[in-house]
Every structure is written in C-alpha cells, then in structure tokens.
C-alpha cells in the first residue's frame, strides 16, 4: 500500500495495473517489431500500467523456422532489444518481450524483462514442445538447467535463467515471474515454483497457434494456475502477421487472478490489442497468509524454491491515476451473471436443506417449530423446512409454524405469514404475545406497561424474548426443534436479541446466508417451482415487496414503520463490507474505496438478475464511510459475544461463516479501534 498516493489511486489501495498485449508481427523483421512493442509500451505507460507482457518470440516472429538460425536475424534481434532498452528510460511499465537469443553454444527462446533503460533479466523457456505441429528442439535448447547464470546481449549483460523474480521496491507485493508458452502446459510449471518463492504476477509469453477448442484449454490452464498459485496470471498469444504456412493464430490475451477472469480481448484481432486489469496484490497476500498449505508446499520444495534470485526495481506509480480497471461487484455474495446466480441459489438452498435434513434425521425426526413473521428471513427458512420435509417423505402438515404478533406487528406481514404457511401446507397457529410481554414489562416496572411511549431496547427485547421462549416451550411440548431464522448479515452486526431471543434456536438454517442473497434465493424458489404453486408464489412476491423491519416499535405519528436499514444502515453496504473483511481481511480504507467504485453510479455496471429497476441505488463516499464506521464498531466492537454462542448451522458462502467453530474465531471482548483509526487516517491523508 502506497500511502503517499491520493485516496482515488488504485496503487494507493494495493493494486497494480497489468497489461497482456498482442501485436501485429512482421515475420523476421526485429526492427519493425521493436517499434510495434514500443508503441504499445508507450500506450501502457500513459495508461498507468506497471507490467506489460508481449507474445513469445515477438521480436522475430514465432513461425520463422530455420530463419531463426541465421546470424543476420539474430543480430537484428539483439539490436532490437538494445533499441527497446534505450527507449524504455522514460517508460514506467516493466516490459516482458519474447526473443530468440544466443547463449553459449545454443539458442534459447526467451522472455526479456526490461525496465527504464535496463535489462532486469532474461528467462529462457524451460519446456520445448516437439510433438504434433511443434518442432522447437530443432532450434532451441531447453532453459530449465540454466539457473544462476548471466547472459550477454550485444553490449548488455543481465541475469539469465528460469529462477528470476522481479520485485518492485515501492509497490508492496508486486513480484513478477515470466515463463514461456509450453511452460504452462506441463504438470509442474516453472511459475508454480516461482509463486512459492514469492511471485504474485505470473506472465506467460505465448506463441500458441490456434486450433478448435485450444482457446478454452488456455483459459482453463491460466485460470487453474492462478487459483493454484494464489497469483495473477497474465497470458498473451501471437496473432496477426505470423506465418500461416500450416497453422493460424488468434492473438488471445487474458488476465486471471485467484481463479477469477479479470479481463480478456477478442480473438483474431486486426491490430494490436491489450488486456488491462488492476491486480489486487493485497488479496493475493491475504490468501497466502490464510492458506497455510501454500507455504507448507514451499517447505517441501525448499531447496529449489530457495534458489530463486530476486532483482529489484522501482516503479514510481503515477500519482494522478484514477479509476479501477477490474470488475467490482456491488453484491459480492450475489453474482450478476444469471446462470451463475441460479447455480449459486441452487447450491445455497440445497446446502441449507441438506443440513437441516441430516440434523432432523440424526435426532429422531422431530417436528420443526418455526416462528414466521412475514419477513424475508423467516419466509426463506420456512421454504427450507418445507423442502427438507419433502426430501424426508414427511407431510408438511408436521411443520409447526407460529405467527406471534406483538406491539407493532402490521396486518400485512401477519397476513403474509399466515397465507404463506397455509399455502405451503404447514400447520399454522397465531399466538398473541402482547399480554405476556405487557405482564413482563409491568413486572419489571417498565413505563410502557401503563401506556407510556418509551420504546427502548427493553421494550423491543421483551417481545423477541417472549417469542423465543414460547417457541422453545412449544418444541418441548410437541417433540420438536426450533428452526432459527437469523441470517449471516444480522450475525455480523449483532442485530439479534441475545439468549432468549432470535439469536437462539436448535438449528439455524440461515446462519450462513447473507441478507442480500436471501431475496434472490426466494426469487429462485419461485422460478424453480418445485413444490411451489401459484398461490405460494404470489405470497412470496408480497414478502419480497415488503420493507425490512423488526416490527417491534409502533409506527410514528407520520405513520412510518420501524425500518431496520434506517437504524443500522443499508444491508447492501454492510454485506459488501462483510465479504471483504471475512474473506480477505481488507483494510477499511480499501473497502471504502471499492464500495465507492461499485456504488458511485446506479446506471453503471451489472445488477443481479431480477433486481427491481426502481430500487437501484447509488451511494457517495460520505454515506459509505458513515455506515462503514457503524459496521466496524458493531462487528469488531461488541457483536462477537453473540456469535460466540450461536447454535449450529451450515456454512453456505465460500467467503466464510461466522461460526466460532468454523471460519471466524475472535475474542468477545475485542474492540474496533485499529480498524477505525486506519479508516480515519486514510481519509485524512
């Protein structure tokens, strides 16, 4: 993190801009190809790029066969490299350019790494294909045995070998390694060892003629290598201009990060193309910290990994760069792609159903007891219970659903709860909790028992407590278990009544599901249609259209009902923060920056399928920071004691759960000072 840069700079927040470039090649014309490389290098400089890679043998052309053994061609390659080196003095990007180079008694297929008037190093191709259309061993020597050496190119000298790492001194976590084409296609690529040695940005300079489905294979390998190595993987293939004697070329470029595609270009271009993305170096570092087996793997290969050499450089990232070149999801728990969202909903719902089914089987098939309010959480939990009963071959009438109106329960939510339970086929009963709650208030001397409008936390929690107490006693009476409805977002914020309240149950089916996903799960159930008739679908839609409210405090004089999001903030922002803290341990300042990118413009970017057009919103920095502070105070400051005592419930999201037995273990007496201080310092800088 470069704290001297403005808040709006991606480099300030742990990103580094990477470009994968394909260029039109002039066959066996290094001078022309060098100018093409420099033209793109200058464009990358203007674009704030830190690292730019070009295709395999870009200076000579890949498909030149025996011409590569001609001295005039090789002399021209050396001169082209000297030209690029001299012209790079005023260019910011580290350039990785493909070239054939003489060394000792052999010729090597190399990635030449250049920065600001210097060759930082030369990485030879380790694995040479000599099968099917490939014939590389006729010309080149494999470079896997060239560790620890140096090479001369014209009047220039540089480190030589596949054991080179290039580390920025002024961009934390930017460590680059280059491999060439076939190196990616073997069981243990050189980049795997480089990643274990510390490389975070892996480059593949590729020739790779195109055949049917080879592009998919390249994507699969790039994706899997980025995921396995917890790294960014940038790939650039040869394109226009290469010889088409017997093959063709598509100029594929792409950048993956931790298994996620950040950017790719159209194939078969008619000119130069660049895939440009801001790689999240913080994310990669955090992933490696969390996944201890990554470093354990380094220990098992310590002799080879420890022999890597590190060459340092200073990037001097631009101070005036703004904008982030990567997708940032508004709803990180909810994919915008309709097919991916449908798949995620199927898996989330099935995880919940399967978990509940197993729990009920394990304890003798008790009757599920559930309180239904007509809100999102209890509605979704009831759907999960219904599907679990179907899978167990048990009648839905054995579901004991209770609506328990309190002092502020609205007619709409109450009728929705009853209508939904009846439509699903559950046994539904209404228990008015107001007499019991009033008696408790009177017993403790609370003024509200005598009609005074004192709607404090005691007033609210008495109602939540009575409901939970009744559910547990009903479960005792009917041989049942209480199904918890509170969700992951509420657990994060501590927005639940502790102990004898909605924090407690026998099994919490929603504990792993964030609030922003639940509405989409309900939509998916409607669309899926399994066990859902038209009547049920209509009630579910009515629930989706209802504002989120605990309904514990009567409406004000203006008639406005109690709003959860007015009290604690938008769940969209809270879930955004939760994801990035729970999954990546991000700094609050970075979360604020990303949220501003994601929510600045309601018209920009993708929204999840089914998200109502009239509910699409934007947030400015002031709003984002305001609610971020609320989240930090609640999440780190006091909500942990509630999470430490939560009942069992299935983990659903790969981002993690808040179970003290699972993903999140924290002291109940922690505080938020460090997180709040980091945010304040970043905003004041």
């Amino acid at each position: 993190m470069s704290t001297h840069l403005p808040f709006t700079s991606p480099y300030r927040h742990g990103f580094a801009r990477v470009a994968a470039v394909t260029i039109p090649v002039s066959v066996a014309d290094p001078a022309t190809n060098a100018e093409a490389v420099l033209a793109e290098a200058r464009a990358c400089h203007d674009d704030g790029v830190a690292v730019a890679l070009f295709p395999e043998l870009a200076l000579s052309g890949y498909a030149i066969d025996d011409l590569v053994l001609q001295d005039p061609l090789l002399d021209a390659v050396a001169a082209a490299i000297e030209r690029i080196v001299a012209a790079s003095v005023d260019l910011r990007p580290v350039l990785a350019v493909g070239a054939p180079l003489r060394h000792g008694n052999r010729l090597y297929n190399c990635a030449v790494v250049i920065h600001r008037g210097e060759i930082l190093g030369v990485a030879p191709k380790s694995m040479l294909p000599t099968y099917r259309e490939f014939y590389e061993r006729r010309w080149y020597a494999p470079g896997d045995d060239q560790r620890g050496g140096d090479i001369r190119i014209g009047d220039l000298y540089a480190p030589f070998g596949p054991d080179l790492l290039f580390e920025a001194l002024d961009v934390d976590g930017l460590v680059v390694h280059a491999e060439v084409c076939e190196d990616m296609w073997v069981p243990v690529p050189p980049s795997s060892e480089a990643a274990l040695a510390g490389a975070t940005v892996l480059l593949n300079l590729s020739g790779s003629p195109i055949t049917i489905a080879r592009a998919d294979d390249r994507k699969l390998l790039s994706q899997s290598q980025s995921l396995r190595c917890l790294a960014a993987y940038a790939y650039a293939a040869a394109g226009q201009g290469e010889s088409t004697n017997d093959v063709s070329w598509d100029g594929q470029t792409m950048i993956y990060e931790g298994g996620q595609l950040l950017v790719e270009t159209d194939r078969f271009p008619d000119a130069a193309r660049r895939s440009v993305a801001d790689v999240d170096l913080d994310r990669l570092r955090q992933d490696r910290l969390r996944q201890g087996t990554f470093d354990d793997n380094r220990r098992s290969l310590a002799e080879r990994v420890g022999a890597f050499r590190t060459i340092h450089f200073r990037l001097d990232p631009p101070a005036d760069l703004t904008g982030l070149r990567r997708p940032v999801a508004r709803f990180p728990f909810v994919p915008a792609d309709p097919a991916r969202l449908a798949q995620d909903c199927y898996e989330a719902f099935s995880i919940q159903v399967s978990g509940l089914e197993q729990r009920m089987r394990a304890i003798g098939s008790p009757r599920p007891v559930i309180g239904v309010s007509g809100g999102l959480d209890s509605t979704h939990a009831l759907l999960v219970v219904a599907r679990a009963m179907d899978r167990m071959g048990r009648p839905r009438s054995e579901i004991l659903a209770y609506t328990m109106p309190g002092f502020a329960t609205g007619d709409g939510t109450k009728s929705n709860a009853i209508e939904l339970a009846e439509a699903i086929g559950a046994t539904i009963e209404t228990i008015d909790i107001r007499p019991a709650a009033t008696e408790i208030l009177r017993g403790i001397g609370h003024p509200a028992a005598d009609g005074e409008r004192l709607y404090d936390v005691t007033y609210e929690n008495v109602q939540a407590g009575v409901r939970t107490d009744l559910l547990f006693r009903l479960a005792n009476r009917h041989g049942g278990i209480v199904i918890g409805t509170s969700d992951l977002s509420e657990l994060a914020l501590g927005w639940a009544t502790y102990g004898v309240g909605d924090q407690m149950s026998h099994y919490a089916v929603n504990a792993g599901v964030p609030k922003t996903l639940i509405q989409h799960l309900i939509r998916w159930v409607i669309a899926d249609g399994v066990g859902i008739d038209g009547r049920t679908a209509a009630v579910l839609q009515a629930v989706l259209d209802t504002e989120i409210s605990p309904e514990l405090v009567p409406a004000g004089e203006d008639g406005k009902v109690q709003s959860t999001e007015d009290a604690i903030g938008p769940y969209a922002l809270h879930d955004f923060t939760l994801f990035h803290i729970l999954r990546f341990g991000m700094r609050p300042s970075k979360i604020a920056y990303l949220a501003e990118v994601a929510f600045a413009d309601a018209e920009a970017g993708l929204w999840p399928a089914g998200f109502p057009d009239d509910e699409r919103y934007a947030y400015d920095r002031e709003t984002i920071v305001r609610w971020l502070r609320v989240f930090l105070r609640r999440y780190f400051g006091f909500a942990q004691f509630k999470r430490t005592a939560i009942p069992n419930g299935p983990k659903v999201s790969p981002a993690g759960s808040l179970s003290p037995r699972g993903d999140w273990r924290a002291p109940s007496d922690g505080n938020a000072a460090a997180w709040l201080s980091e945010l304040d310092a970043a905003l004041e800088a």
Side-chain angles (χ1 to χ4, degrees):
M1 184 175 68
S2 301
T3 56
H4 65 283
L5 294 171
F7 186 83
T8 52
S9 168
Y11 284 97
R12 167 68 175 76
H13 299 284
F15 294 98
R17 188 159 294 180
V18 176
V21 187
T22 189
I23 57 172
V25 170
S26 294
V27 172
D29 186 357
T32 298
N33 293 330
E35 296 307 317
V37 167
L38 285 171
E40 288 303 301
R42 293 185 186 103
C44 287
H45 171 87
D46 294 340
D47 203 15
V49 168
V51 180
L53 75 148
F54 294 81
E56 179 181 13
L57 299 173
L59 291 182
S60 61
Y62 177 90
I64 62 173
D65 295 339
D66 288 352
L67 297 184
V68 79
L69 296 173
Q70 296 287 312
D71 277 342
L73 184 282
L74 295 173
D75 291 343
V77 166
I81 291 173
E82 291 176 326
R83 162 71 178 136
I84 295 172
V85 169
S88 71
V89 169
D90 297 323
L91 299 179
R92 179 175 299 105
V94 173
L95 308 175
V97 184
L101 295 176
R102 292 169 290 206
H103 181 62
N105 298 315
R106 296 299 301 272
L107 193 64
Y108 291 87
N109 181 343
C110 299
V112 184
V113 181
I114 299 167
H115 186 242
R116 292 199 183 276
E118 180 184 2
I119 300 178
L120 297 181
V122 177
K125 187 173 184 177
S126 293
M127 303 296 160
L128 302 181
T130 308
Y131 56 86
R132 295 198 294 271
E133 69 266 36
F134 301 107
Y135 202 31
E136 288 191 23
R137 279 182 180 261
R138 176 182 175 96
W139 307 292
Y140 305 107
D144 57 326
D145 64 344
Q146 295 298 308
R147 291 169 171 258
D150 297 296
I151 190 172
R152 175 183 173 184
I153 305 172
D155 293 329
L156 304 173
Y157 288 86
F160 180 70
D163 57 337
L164 303 179
L165 305 179
F166 307 97
E167 181 176 17
L169 292 172
D170 54 350
V171 179
D172 290 347
L174 179 56
V175 184
V176 180
H177 176 267
E179 63 186 8
V180 183
C181 200
E182 186 73 12
D183 291 346
M184 178 178 72
W185 294 75
V186 297
V188 185
S191 57
S192 294
E193 293 182 355
L196 293 174
T200 54
V201 176
L202 310 176
L203 311 180
N204 188 289
L205 295 76
S206 181
S208 194
I210 186 62
T211 55
I212 291 173
R214 182 171 286 173
D216 291 336
D217 292 342
R218 297 179 193 140
K219 292 186 71 171
L220 178 61
L221 288 169
S222 297
Q223 180 182 25
S224 62
Q225 191 66 351
S226 75
L227 180 59
R228 183 180 298 109
C229 292
L230 302 179
Y233 200 89
Y235 179 95
Q240 184 185 30
E242 286 283 3
S243 172
T244 56
N245 271 12
D246 297 293
V247 291
S248 191
W249 313 83
D250 68 336
Q252 186 175 26
T253 73
M254 56 194 159
I255 301 173
Y256 279 87
E257 175 193 286
Q260 175 189 358
L261 178 64
L262 298 183
V263 64
E264 62 181 331
T265 53
D266 293 336
R267 296 187 296 126
F268 304 100
D270 58 0
R273 293 288 187 275
R274 298 190 301 275
S275 285
V276 181
D278 290 328
V279 169
D280 192 342
L281 302 172
D282 285 346
R283 172 194 170 177
L284 301 175
R285 174 178 47 78
Q286 272 279 350
D287 267 352
R288 292 179 179 187
L289 283 175
R290 290 161 186 264
Q291 188 173 314
T293 50
F294 180 87
D295 195 61
D296 289 343
N297 195 202
R298 176 201 58 79
R299 292 171 60 249
S300 67
L301 299 169
E303 184 175 350
R304 287 180 62 83
V305 171
F308 270 79
R309 294 173 285 169
T310 301
I311 294 92
H312 293 99
F313 64 94
R314 189 169 294 278
L315 184 70
D316 188 23
D320 58 349
L321 187 66
T322 59
L324 189 65
R325 301 283 286 276
R326 64 181 285 126
V328 179
R330 290 182 177 89
F331 304 98
F333 292 107
V334 185
D337 176 70
R340 181 70 256 178
L341 176 57
Q343 178 68 15
D344 283 10
C345 287
Y346 159 75
E347 291 186 346
F349 192 71
S350 299
I351 289 167
Q352 293 178 274
V353 170
S354 178
L356 178 59
E357 179 186 358
Q358 172 58 24
R359 179 52 54 93
M360 289 198 294
R361 289 186 189 279
I363 58 177
S365 298
R367 300 187 73 174
V369 174
I370 183 170
V372 289
S373 66
L376 287 173
D377 289 349
S378 64
T379 293
H380 180 60
L382 182 57
L383 294 172
V384 170
V385 172
R387 185 69 64 89
M389 296 293 277
D390 293 346
R391 283 171 54 93
M392 297 176 70
R394 296 173 58 186
R396 292 183 177 183
S397 59
E398 291 188 7
I399 303 171
L400 302 180
Y402 297 90
T403 178
M404 293 177 282
F407 298 130
T409 301
D411 292 338
T413 52
K414 177 183 174 182
S415 63
N416 283 344
I418 295 172
E419 180 73 11
L420 177 63
E422 291 178 346
I424 280 179
T427 298
I428 179 71
E429 184 178 341
T430 299
I431 300 177
D432 189 343
I433 69 165
R434 288 173 294 183
T438 300
E439 188 61 29
I440 293 174
L441 290 172
R442 181 170 291 111
I444 63 175
H446 195 283
D450 297 319
E452 186 173 327
R453 296 174 64 87
L454 178 58
Y455 304 140
D456 58 5
V457 66
T458 303
Y459 180 89
E460 295 190 21
N461 284 354
V462 160
Q463 297 172 76
V466 168
R467 287 177 175 136
T468 303
D469 195 6
L470 285 170
L471 290 173
F472 272 92
R473 302 298 72 80
L474 288 163
N476 293 156
R477 184 183 176 203
H478 297 292
I481 62 168
V482 177
I483 307 302
T485 63
S486 191
D487 61 50
L488 184 70
S489 308
E490 293 177 344
L491 289 172
L493 293 161
W495 191 251
T497 301
Y498 181 74
V500 185
D502 53 324
Q503 179 255 357
M504 188 48 60
S505 65
H506 287 121
Y507 194 73
V509 295
N510 285 344
V513 185
K515 186 79 75 177
T516 49
L517 180 57
I518 282 182
Q519 61 177 303
H520 295 282
L521 282 166
I522 294 173
R523 289 192 182 101
W524 176 82
V525 170
I526 296 173
D528 180 63
V530 177
I532 300 297
D533 58 17
R535 177 187 178 190
T536 307
V539 182
L540 293 177
Q541 187 59 54
V543 172
L544 289 170
D545 294 338
T546 302
E547 183 175 9
I548 301 170
S549 171
E551 292 194 319
L552 295 172
V553 174
E557 295 180 359
D558 59 359
K560 183 173 176 56
V561 300
Q562 184 183 18
S563 169
T564 296
E565 293 188 309
D566 284 351
I568 60 169
Y571 277 113
L573 291 178
H574 288 323
D575 279 1
F576 188 92
T577 300
L578 173 62
F579 178 89
H580 290 99
I581 282 178
L582 183 60
R583 176 64 182 85
F584 298 119
M586 285 185 180
R587 299 177 180 91
S589 62
K590 181 167 185 169
I591 295 171
Y593 170 75
L594 289 172
E596 189 172 0
V597 171
F599 288 103
D601 183 359
E603 301 301 320
L606 299 174
W607 289 80
F611 201 98
D613 291 344
D614 59 353
E615 294 182 16
R616 299 184 179 187
Y617 37 73
Y619 299 112
D620 58 21
R621 187 185 301 176
E622 180 182 359
T623 303
I624 289 167
V625 170
R626 172 192 173 195
W627 294 117
L628 177 55
R629 287 197 174 99
V630 169
F631 182 96
L632 296 175
R633 291 190 188 101
R634 298 185 70 97
Y635 186 84
F636 292 106
F638 69 83
Q640 182 59 34
F641 83 96
K642 297 182 181 181
R643 297 191 289 264
T644 299
I646 63 173
N648 294 165
K651 175 179 176 179
V652 174
S653 171
S657 76
L658 290 174
S659 168
R661 301 165 295 275
D663 290 70
W664 184 254
R665 305 176 193 194
S668 294
D669 47 4
N671 69 80
W675 287 265
L676 291 168
S677 295
E678 191 280 335
L679 177 61
D680 291 340
L683 294 170
E684 292 169 2

